[in-house]
Amino acid sequence: TDPPKPTVTLQPSRTQIYSGETVTVRCEIQGGERAQWTYEWRRGQKNIHETSSEYRISRLTESHGGGYSCRATRSSSWTEWSDSTTLRVTVPSKPTVTLQPPWPQIYSGETVTVRCEIQGGEGAQWTYEWRPAKLNTPPTYSEYRITVTESDSGGYSCRGKRSFSRTEWSDALTVVSKPKAELRADRTAVPVGGSVTLTCSVNPSSSSSSGWKYYWYSDGKSYEPVRNEQISVSEGGVYSCRGGRGEPVYYTEDSESVRIDTTVSNRPVVTLYPNWSEIYRGETITVRCEIHGGDTEWDYEWEINSIKKPPNQNEYKIKSASSSNSGNYRCKGRMKSSQYKTTEWSDSVTLTVSDSKSYLL
């Protein structure tokens, strides 16, 4: 009778074997185990110089992959060629360090879960190696819950190992020092009957995926339990904000404060005494800020040519005028009883100081 057709088996018999591992390829003849066979091997159509029933391939590379078949001979009698058995050698992909929650950035002081993911390697029994080395406490897990420290500024990276196979190191997930919230106001005073929009952000990751909620403060006290990045305010005050996320909540540094005034309807008027818009060098004139309506007490602010000037009195007395006193004068009032309530700026009044009088002969 013809000898039986052999079978090629792999040990280990997994369909996915990684580069760097060791595999044994075996040619088995049912019922012919005791006979003295000589073997012939090939991978694809290419002959392999091997005559024993099995051979061992150490430190597999991609080039070892392919369809293996064998046949055997004794006493000038040959078996058929076996069916081809495919050896697939997988080069493990570069791992990725991911965060849980899936934020794009981590900050010093946060508590997060870091995870090492190897694409296509889910079924394999990997052990993991981490940087920084303090995470490599056996057994080396694919994920750790950690509180990030400033000393880990080199970031977190990982690689997978099994048998003699290992992946590349992943790219590092970097650590950024504690961020500071940024507060922007679309205007600095609430108009009569209106509101001011305040926006809080945490850079560089203000995207919706970054998980921030926002905490608002007015005059140092918690303002509203809203968690939106934008609020509208209609009351004057000193506002600040900070971001928070995670469990336990991780807070950013507080933003710089922004002062918001409330505009009242009283309108100031600048008048000149005497009421001359042109005076001459050396003359005396008083510039006065008048606010009508009620018996409110005011502090006063002055601007001359868009530059803020003292005093905070309601009048600006020029005893001996010079050309430097020429310019546009305007004022506004701030209530003494409520420092966040102000008037709008008055219209500007122009004062011109000329060098000398012209005399008629």
Side-chain angles (χ1 to χ4, degrees), residues 45-88:
Q45 298 304 312
K46 188 176 179 183
N47 286 343
I48 297 170
H49 300 297
E50 184 63 53
T51 58
S52 59
S53 64
E54 63 178 54
Y55 71 102
R56 184 181 168 94
I57 309 170
S58 298
R59 298 187 181 260
L60 282 169
T61 65
E62 275 185 290
S63 65
H64 290 115
Y68 285 79
S69 52
C70 68
R71 67 175 182 171
T73 181
R74 64 174 183 185
S75 310
S76 69
S77 172
W78 287 93
T79 67
E80 288 181 71
W81 280 101
S82 71
D83 292 332
S84 177
T85 296
T86 301
L87 170 62
R88 289 186 180 84

Side-chain angles (χ1 to χ4, degrees), residues 18 35 43 63 68 102 104 152 154 158 174 216 225 234 246 263 318 347:
Y18 289 92
R43 183 176 65 244
S63 65
Y68 285 79
D152 299 334
C158 68
T174 54
W216 293 93
S234 53
T263 307
I318 301 167
D347 293 332

Side-chain angles (χ1 to χ4, degrees), residues 97-292:
V97 177
T98 60
L99 280 177
Q100 201 56 37
W103 296 325
Q105 184 70 65
I106 47 173
Y107 297 94
S108 172
E110 278 196 289
T111 300
V112 292
T113 297
V114 287
R115 185 175 292 153
C116 190
E117 294 183 352
I118 301 171
Q119 202 67 36
E122 292 82 358
Q125 297 297 306
W126 297 100
T127 56
Y128 296 85
E129 191 175 348
W130 287 88
R131 291 175 179 156
K134 67 182 181 184
L135 295 182
N136 293 317
T137 49
T140 47
Y141 294 117
S142 63
E143 64 178 55
Y144 284 93
R145 187 151 177 83
I146 55 168
T147 298
V148 181
T149 64
E150 196 82 72
S151 63
D152 299 334
S153 56
Y156 295 88
S157 55
C158 68
R159 66 179 177 184
K161 296 194 295 185
R162 57 188 314 281
S163 306
F164 294 100
S165 175
R166 61 184 57 195
T167 68
E168 290 180 67
W169 281 101
S170 71
D171 293 332
L173 184 69
T174 54
V175 177
V176 176
S177 57
K178 189 171 189 174
K180 182 173 183 171
E182 187 180 323
L183 177 55
R184 296 188 309 279
D186 66 344
R187 59 180 82 190
T188 56
V190 178
V192 176
S195 63
V196 169
T197 299
L198 303 178
T199 305
C200 192
S201 59
V202 180
N203 291 319
S205 54
S206 286
S207 62
S208 57
S209 64
S210 53
W212 294 108
K213 292 178 180 176
Y214 297 91
Y215 298 79
W216 293 93
Y217 303 90
S218 174
D219 297 326
K221 300 184 188 70
S222 187
Y223 177 58
E224 277 185 36
V226 296
R227 298 290 178 262
N228 305 337
E229 65 178 337
Q230 219 169 57
I231 61 169
S232 288
V233 297
S234 53
E235 291 291 317
V238 175
Y239 291 88
S240 62
C241 70
R242 62 178 175 170
R245 69 180 187 183
E247 191 58 53
V249 179
Y250 171 81
Y251 293 104
T252 67
E253 303 277 4
D254 289 356
S255 69
E256 299 290 341
S257 296
V258 170
R259 181 192 178 112
I260 302 295
D261 292 326
T262 305
T263 307
V264 294
S265 56
N266 311 60
R267 187 74 192 255
V269 177
V270 173
T271 52
L272 302 176
Y273 293 94
N275 191 17
W276 303 328
S277 60
E278 184 177 23
I279 61 171
Y280 295 94
R281 197 174 57 203
E283 289 191 309
T284 297
I285 194 165
T286 299
V287 187
R288 188 169 293 154
C289 186
E290 296 178 346
I291 302 172
H292 300 291

